[in-house]
Amino acid sequence: GQQLNQSPQSMFIQEGEDVSMNCTSSSIFNTWLWYKQDPGEGPVLLIALYKAGELTSNGRLTAQFGITRKDSFLNISASIPSDVGIYFCAGRSGGSNYKLTFGKGTLLTVNP
Amino acid sequence: GAGVSQSPSNKVTEKGKDVELRCDPISGHTALYWYRQSLGQGLEFLIYFQGNSAPDKSGLPSDRFSAERTGGSVSTLTIQRTQQEDSAVYLCASSIRWGTNEKLFFGSGTQLSVL
């Protein structure tokens, strides 16, 4: 089946630093999504990517859909304490495949 | 409501008991999904509904798990004869329709603990 490798598993950074996390897939995806999950809450969609090479920003967040369609990265610039949480990548191969395959998440801790 | 609502938010049960988890999707969303999240793991797909029908039940871990959706709205996930390995957060999500560009909106989940 499809597998997503998300790295790093966890990050501990100082407020104001930039962070980067990425996902790689064993197969091609047509859609890449990045979610953030706060404790006790469900994941919330941050950015959606639909085309290979697409670069999309949402405030301090920037994500890219890799040219090979097998990878994506998420960058957070000038981190703040409320960025703390678990970030998940998710991908879909498209067509009639309605399932999202999720990575195992990156736990981000921001030290004020 | 404004978002996906799940109940209960927490459920503690004894091994062998049956549990029912409820999901109220966003009004007008025709697609509904159940996922399971175990500690330190990603989200595991369980089942998907388009309207009241579930085209794919292959994600359900065992025949102790079942789900139904009525009226194209509320869905119930039932786990019979619960086991300790069933302990996890069960997340429900809905979307306007299924397709390549849909976006899922998640509820806050039900934390299930089987003692």
Side-chain angles (χ1 to χ4, degrees):
Chain A
Q2 296 171 334
Q3 294 184 353
L4 281 183
N5 294 312
Q6 185 170 351
S7 64
Q9 291 185 351
S10 62
M11 301 181 73
F12 187 92
I13 63 171
Q14 295 295 121
E15 183 177 1
E17 291 183 352
D18 298 343
V19 300
S20 182
M21 58 194 77
N22 69 85
C23 272
T24 58
S25 168
S26 57
S27 56
I28 290 174
F29 284 134
N30 289 342
T31 302
W32 281 98
L33 305 170
W34 284 92
Y35 286 86
K36 182 193 178 194
Q37 185 176 30
D38 292 327
E41 299 293 328
V44 174
L45 181 66
L46 298 175
I47 292 180
L49 302 161
Y50 302 111
K51 294 182 181 179
E54 180 179 356
L55 184 70
T56 297
S57 293
N58 178 9
R60 294 178 295 105
L61 278 61
T62 301
Q64 184 158 30
F65 192 141
I67 291 293
T68 64
R69 296 166 65 190
K70 291 185 176 181
D71 63 308
S72 177
F73 73 74
L74 174 70
N75 287 343
I76 305 173
S77 63
S79 59
I80 59 178
S82 62
D83 290 335
V84 166
I86 303 175
Y87 292 79
F88 290 99
C89 62
R92 178 184 287 118
S93 58
S96 61
N97 189 334
Y98 44 82
K99 297 179 188 177
L100 277 181
T101 301
F102 281 82
K104 293 188 177 182
T106 295
L107 174 61
L108 178 64
T109 303
V110 180
N111 189 32
Chain B
V4 177
S5 177
Q6 291 188 247
S7 61
S9 56
N10 283 282
K11 177 70 176 179
V12 180
T13 189
E14 294 179 349
K15 177 182 175 181
K17 295 287 182 67
D18 297 351
V19 296
E20 284 190 355
L21 312 180
R22 177 187 169 104
C23 173
D24 282 276
I26 294 173
S27 178
H29 280 196
T30 60
L32 185 147
Y33 304 75
W34 283 98
Y35 284 83
R36 180 168 70 174
Q37 184 177 25
S38 301
L39 189 63
Q41 299 296 313
L43 278 66
E44 174 190 4
F45 171 83
L46 298 179
I47 192 171
Y48 148 79
F49 287 91
Q50 179 62 23
N52 291 334
S53 65
D56 186 355
K57 302 179 181 179
S58 64
L60 296 176
S62 74
D63 58 8
R64 296 185 295 106
F65 287 71
S66 63
E68 64 176 15
R69 188 180 186 196
T70 56
S73 181
V74 173
S75 176
T76 302
L77 178 68
T78 301
I79 308 174
Q80 296 178 310
R81 306 181 301 282
T82 52
Q83 303 295 313
Q84 289 183 333
E85 61 263 28
D86 299 335
S87 297
V89 176
Y90 289 82
L91 290 163
C92 174
S94 70
S95 66
I96 292 176
R97 60 170 176 78
W98 72 269
T100 56
N101 291 348
E102 64 165 327
K103 298 173 184 177
L104 297 185
F105 295 85
F106 283 86
S108 297
T110 294
Q111 172 74 63
L112 175 65
S113 300
V114 182
L115 304 179

